[in-house]
Amino acid sequence: MKKSLLAGLTAMLCGTTIASAAPIQLSFTASDFFTDPTLPPISGSIFYESASTTAVIDSLTAIDLTIDGYTYTLGEIAFSNGVDGIISVGGILSGVTGLGSGPDDFLLRWEPGVPTSDFFAYSDGASFFATRTVAMTFTDLSNVNRVPEPGTAALALAVLLAGAGAAVRRRR
């Protein structure tokens, strides 16, 4: 009992959790668009949960992407783990694996474990822009040092003090 309490407190203080999915950040920069090579690069980050940086997506958690002044929100994107092994993340206007001619739609595709994109494209409503030149970086955020919340630290301290107080009472 004491060992499991101590293990629980240690996990709480260290910020560790038991989970099957790790938080992953995919940062990318797309450049050299086929239809207009003078376009500036587009950079963004997609945050998701997955078993590892080389596995398929379990769920999307956040996005940091602005294209032509339009900032995407999590509710406007979705993902697909294709049967061909290709992962797609994109706007939901034309379906995740499609790209419509409507404004503010994008598509990013890659193969798990391959640090380059298969394809990135977007539509601004008037034109369609695509490239295969995409630099990608995958970061497993579960390995980042975490600082416990003040409330968690206070609760752990209270439990430790209560345990110490109980031990002192037993000795008397």
Side-chain angles (χ1 to χ4, degrees):
M1 175 70 176
K2 289 180 184 178
K3 286 183 180 178
S4 63
L5 180 62
L6 184 59
L9 286 173
T10 303
M12 195 176 1
L13 286 173
C14 295
T16 58
T17 58
I18 298 172
S20 60
I24 307 294
Q25 177 182 358
L26 162 58
S27 299
F28 68 92
T29 299
S31 59
D32 300 326
F33 291 91
F34 305 139
T35 51
D36 187 353
T38 64
L39 285 173
I42 294 174
S43 296
S45 292
I46 297 170
F47 300 84
Y48 60 94
E49 291 188 343
S50 178
S52 72
T53 58
T54 59
V56 297
I57 294 177
D58 292 333
S59 65
L60 295 172
T61 57
I63 184 165
D64 179 12
L65 177 62
T66 300
I67 301 174
D68 287 341
Y70 185 82
T71 301
Y72 288 87
T73 64
L74 187 59
E76 297 172 309
I77 66 168
F79 72 95
S80 171
N81 295 316
V83 293
D84 58 356
I86 300 294
I87 297 172
S88 299
V89 174
I92 58 175
L93 291 176
S94 302
V96 149
T97 58
L99 188 66
S101 59
D104 309 321
D105 204 2
F106 80 97
L107 172 64
L108 174 65
R109 294 172 34 109
W110 73 93
E111 183 177 347
V114 178
T116 57
S117 172
D118 174 66
F119 185 72
F120 177 84
Y122 76 97
S123 171
D124 65 2
S127 300
F128 175 80
F129 308 98
T131 184
R132 290 195 181 273
T133 306
V134 184
M136 303 174 75
T137 303
F138 296 86
T139 305
D140 183 341
L141 299 175
S142 64
N143 294 328
V144 176
N145 290 335
R146 295 204 169 114
V147 176
E149 294 289 329
T152 303
L155 177 62
L157 181 61
V159 170
L160 286 173
L161 291 174
V168 166
R169 280 190 296 275
R170 273 182 277 170
R171 287 186 186 163
R172 290 182 186 173

